[in-house]
Amino acid sequence: MNVLEIKNVHKTLGKRAIIKGIDLSVKEGEIFGFLGPNGAGKTTTIRMLVGLITQTRGDIVICGHNLIKEKEKALKDVGAVVENPELYKYLSGKENLVQIARIRKASMRQVNELVKLVGLEERINDKVGKYSLGMKQRLGLAAALIGNPKLLILDEPTNGLDPSGILEFRAVIKKAAKEKGMAVFISSHILSEVQNLCDRVAFINNGLIQSIEEIKGQNISTDKDSVTLISTTDKDMVLKVIKNIPYVIESKLEGKEINILLEKNMSSKLIKKLVSENIDICEFYKNRQGLEERYMELMEGGIK
């Protein structure tokens, strides 16, 4: 089931088109990453998703409810931390959570569970004005999780967290997604964290989605090379030649492409071998094996 659907959404400010027609969806229990450079449209998209601004045209649907036509029903199922968490600095962390729990009709038991979940037990009764940035992020996450929302929207959620805090955050998000079936939409500039956390990722640039890709289970090994070969020569013959090459670990035909996994730094040797076997090579390129490389490829015009 799709918890979030964005359908041909545009946003124009004055004469400037910020978002130029984007489409994406997030399923129940899925952690979805949203990546792009500064000014690409990430924050504008998130502000539309939480109802802070309205799209110029297109539809945003949350749990079957159109955000414009049924705003209250749509946002009822949303928890969010957008930019810096909005908290009352003169209240304690606990008092902040209690206020939100009353609005969402959540129990004190859940509030106490969330305090423990985000690791704020020792400081929860301190005034928020005394909190560090990382502590505010933890409290903001706890606030967003009150009432078990079906869609959790997070904008740079690990900002200010130390390494142990990031690991704890990752565990909390994975648990919410997998055990509670919560859909998570997360924007972050920490690509390695997105790689470790997300199931799919969308790359946005200049107001347009450049690509939406699965990232779970990607082979990001550093001791092997993954390459793709496109040849005009008979594919079965090409596969036969490749399989007899000792430094080729595996090969697979997928449509017109032959995907090859080989030992590190053997690409040039493989090309020479294929040419010596009279194989006509139309295209040969190294596959990007990490999110950072893929990001650079899409955003910076990198070469495959």
Side-chain angles (χ1 to χ4, degrees):
M1 171 187 171
N2 287 333
V3 174
L4 171 65
E5 294 180 315
I6 299 175
K7 304 174 182 178
N8 193 31
V9 164
H10 294 70
K11 180 62 181 177
T12 302
L13 294 175
K15 295 183 179 180
R16 184 184 171 201
I18 307 297
I19 302 297
K20 304 173 183 178
I22 63 173
D23 297 270
L24 60 84
S25 62
V26 184
K27 300 189 289 289
E28 187 177 277
E30 180 179 41
I31 304 174
F32 189 95
F34 196 52
L35 299 177
N38 292 336
K42 300 191 305 299
T43 298
T44 298
T45 300
I46 289 176
R47 289 172 66 83
M48 288 190 290
L49 294 183
V50 298
L52 293 177
I53 58 175
T54 303
Q55 66 267 32
T56 305
R57 67 177 189 272
D59 293 302
I60 297 172
V61 180
I62 300 172
C63 296
H65 301 293
N66 188 290
L67 187 53
I68 290 180
K69 298 176 182 177
E70 304 174 278
K71 187 172 183 177
E72 187 175 340
K73 289 182 178 179
L75 293 180
K76 178 178 177 291
D77 293 312
V78 177
V81 180
V82 180
E83 297 171 349
N84 295 320
E86 294 295 328
L87 304 164
Y88 294 108
K89 295 181 181 179
Y90 60 88
L91 296 179
S92 70
K94 184 72 168 287
E95 289 168 335
N96 269 274
L97 296 182
V98 168
Q99 294 295 326
I100 297 168
R102 286 174 181 167
I103 295 170
R104 297 185 183 175
K105 298 179 181 179
S107 67
M108 281 303 302
R109 178 181 177 182
Q110 187 186 31
V111 170
N112 292 329
E113 288 175 349
L114 289 172
V115 169
K116 184 177 180 180
L117 188 66
V118 299
L120 279 176
E121 303 102 303
E122 295 182 5
R123 299 291 302 276
I124 196 61
N125 292 312
D126 291 354
K127 294 285 192 292
V128 170
K130 297 180 180 179
Y131 279 16
S132 67
L133 178 58
M135 291 168 66
K136 289 177 182 176
Q137 288 293 97
R138 289 169 183 260
L139 186 63
L141 178 58
L145 289 169
I146 290 176
N148 294 320
K150 295 179 181 178
L151 174 63
L152 181 62
I153 298 172
L154 303 171
D155 187 15
E156 301 291 353
T158 56
N159 186 27
L161 296 182
D162 56 26
S164 63
I166 291 174
L167 290 173
E168 291 167 4
F169 162 80
R170 189 191 304 168
V172 170
I173 297 304
K174 286 183 176 180
K175 183 175 182 179
K178 305 313 173 188
E179 294 184 9
K180 298 183 179 182
M182 195 178 294
V184 182
F185 185 93
I186 178 171
S187 171
S188 176
H189 69 283
I190 304 176
L191 300 184
S192 60
E193 188 57 32
V194 172
Q195 178 104 37
N196 288 324
L197 184 62
C198 296
D199 302 299
R200 286 193 301 149
V201 62
F203 299 89
I204 185 171
N205 196 13
N206 194 29
L208 292 167
I209 298 292
Q210 303 294 317
S211 179
I212 297 178
E213 301 178 12
E214 300 278 346
I215 63 172
K216 284 295 185 186
Q218 278 189 343
N219 175 18
I220 55 172
S221 172
T222 58
D223 60 350
K224 302 178 183 68
D225 282 333
S226 174
V227 300
T228 294
L229 167 70
I230 300 175
S231 171
T232 57
T233 311
D234 179 73
K235 302 297 187 299
D236 290 334
M237 190 269 283
V238 175
L239 285 171
K240 185 177 179 180
V241 170
I242 291 172
K243 287 180 180 178
N244 290 326
I245 298 174
Y247 47 83
V248 170
I249 299 167
E250 62 181 44
S251 57
K252 184 178 181 182
L253 177 63
E254 295 183 0
K256 295 180 180 180
E257 299 179 346
I258 299 175
N259 292 314
I260 307 165
L261 187 66
L262 66 161
E263 294 175 9
K264 193 73 174 175
N265 300 322
M266 287 295 181
S267 296
S268 59
K269 191 172 182 180
L270 176 61
I271 293 172
K272 291 177 182 178
K273 174 64 176 176
L274 295 176
V275 170
S276 71
E277 295 287 340
N278 295 318
I279 292 173
D280 295 325
I281 300 174
C282 293
E283 196 171 348
F284 185 97
Y285 56 85
K286 182 178 179 180
N287 297 320
R288 296 299 183 183
Q289 297 188 18
L291 195 60
E292 291 182 6
E293 289 89 348
R294 183 59 175 150
Y295 179 92
M296 292 299 294
E297 186 176 295
L298 287 168
M299 302 301 159
E300 307 294 337
I303 300 171
K304 293 181 180 180

